[in-house]
Amino acid sequence: MNDLTRSDFYSSAYGIVLRLNPDSVVGYDNETAFRRISEPSRLEFTNYYLGKRFGYRERPHIRHIAKTMSLTLLQEFSVIWQQEIVVTTTYPFREMTSGHPDIYMLFLFVHSLVERWREALL
């Protein structure tokens, strides 16, 4: 990881660099997400709420590498999904009990950014 450069995170032409994994998609089955405690349930739960705003569809998982986010956009998305995020903040460490998965903020951030670009293009 010592060979990372600024362009690995941000491009002046395109903004924040997003690295998605098209080989691993996340569904949006909210009923399944409520029945188990796992990373996939958190992703499905988050994708369900993305679907309520931007349309239901499978979305690619995010690659497990170094990333960057915009604090301004995080604050904006925190207003849009305020109720879901408030519940998430009550857990001492991620999702501790079944019944209400927590929001996966990085997944929410990346796909909200993608969806807003899609809206702008339309």
Side-chain angles (χ1 to χ4, degrees), residues 14-54:
Y14 301 107
I16 295 172
V17 174
L18 306 175
R19 308 250 190 234
L20 303 175
N21 186 2
D23 297 333
S24 176
V25 294
V26 176
Y28 51 87
D29 184 0
N30 197 35
E31 294 302 315
T32 303
F34 272 91
R35 287 194 297 261
R36 65 182 197 275
I37 300 174
S38 64
E39 182 179 11
S41 71
R42 296 171 61 220
L43 290 165
E44 289 175 5
F45 183 70
T46 304
N47 198 16
Y48 172 78
Y49 279 101
L50 283 164
K52 287 176 80 171
R53 171 136 170 105
F54 299 113

Side-chain angles (χ1 to χ4, degrees), residues 27-96:
Y28 51 87
D29 184 0
N30 197 35
E31 294 302 315
T32 303
F34 272 91
R35 287 194 297 261
R36 65 182 197 275
I37 300 174
S38 64
E39 182 179 11
S41 71
R42 296 171 61 220
L43 290 165
E44 289 175 5
F45 183 70
T46 304
N47 198 16
Y48 172 78
Y49 279 101
L50 283 164
K52 287 176 80 171
R53 171 136 170 105
F54 299 113
Y56 295 102
R57 70 179 136 280
E58 292 181 336
R59 292 178 170 86
H61 198 295
I62 304 158
R63 293 199 183 265
H64 287 90
I65 60 171
K67 303 161 191 71
T68 187
M69 292 190 284
S70 161
L71 183 57
T72 305
L73 287 173
L74 273 175
Q75 290 170 336
E76 183 177 332
F77 299 148
S78 295
V79 170
I80 295 170
W81 288 284
Q82 183 177 5
Q83 289 179 316
E84 294 78 19
I85 293 170
V86 165
V87 171
T88 297
T89 63
T90 64
Y91 299 132
F93 181 77
R94 295 189 181 164
E95 176 185 359
M96 299 300 290

